Amino acid sequence: MSGRADVVALIRDGKSDRAIARELGVSRRTAGIIRRTVGAPPAKTVYTLTPEQMWHTYARPTYTGGHMDWTGPTNHAGTPVIKRQHVTYSARGMAFRRRYGRDPVGYVRATCDRPGCVAEEHVADAPMRAELNAQYNAIFGGAR
C-alpha cells in the first residue's frame, strides 16, 4: 500500500490513527498500515479528560427517583468503571468520594434496585451497608 501524502503528513504531525481516520475519512487500519509503511512509531494517545470529567460524561440523570444511569464502560461483571492510562476507577467509588469526601471502605454498591445506578445519593460502602442492614433488621426483624 502506498502512503497517501495527506495521511503521511498527519502522521508526521503526531496525530493518532483514530484522529487521522476522523479527519480524512480513512479507516484506522489504513492509517496504521501507512504508519508502519513509512516507519513511524505508534502515536501516543493523549487523554484529554480527567476521570472526574469522564464521570460527568457517562453519568446521566434519569427523570424519576434521583437515579443516574451509567452510559460508559463496564468491567467483565457489568460494574460501571472509568479507564484512564491503564488504571481502572470504580464509577460508584468516585460517586462515593464526591458525596462523602472520603475513600470508601470495601466495595461501593448502589443502595437502590436500579441496575447501573451511580447517583451520589444512592451509593454506600461496606460499613454503611452493614449499618443499613442492622437498622432494617431492628425494624422488621429479619435478614435483608
Side-chain angles (χ1 to χ4, degrees):
M1 171 177 278
S2 64
R4 287 179 39 178
D6 52 353
V7 174
V8 173
L10 292 178
I11 289 171
R12 292 209 169 107
D13 287 344
K15 301 268 181 141
S16 69
D17 296 344
R18 181 177 291 191
I20 293 168
R22 204 173 30 243
E23 189 170 325
L24 299 178
V26 298
S27 71
R28 287 187 299 181
R29 183 175 181 274
T30 298
I33 290 170
I34 294 172
R35 178 182 301 279
R36 287 187 295 281
T37 301
V38 298
K44 296 226 178 209
T45 303
V46 177
Y47 295 94
T48 56
L49 297 178
T50 66
E52 186 72 19
Q53 291 168 325
M54 287 183 205
W55 191 90
H56 285 290
T57 300
Y58 296 133
R60 296 279 182 233
T62 63
Y63 294 106
T64 60
H67 302 287
M68 292 190 88
D69 286 336
W70 186 252
T71 62
T74 58
N75 67 9
H76 65 281
T79 303
V81 295
I82 292 172
K83 296 178 181 182
R84 183 170 191 270
Q85 293 180 331
H86 307 293
V87 177
T88 301
Y89 301 90
S90 162
R92 289 188 184 121
M94 291 182 70
F96 185 90
R97 282 182 204 88
R98 292 166 48 86
R99 170 85 172 169
Y100 298 103
R102 66 173 177 86
D103 286 337
V105 176
Y107 291 112
V108 177
R109 296 206 168 91
T111 56
C112 65
D113 292 334
R114 186 177 184 96
C117 183
V118 295
E120 294 173 16
E121 296 80 15
H122 296 184
V123 295
D125 65 355
M128 293 170 74
R129 286 193 313 277
E131 183 179 337
L132 287 172
N133 285 337
Q135 290 172 357
Y136 181 88
N137 291 336
I139 295 169
F140 298 107
R144 182 174 172 203

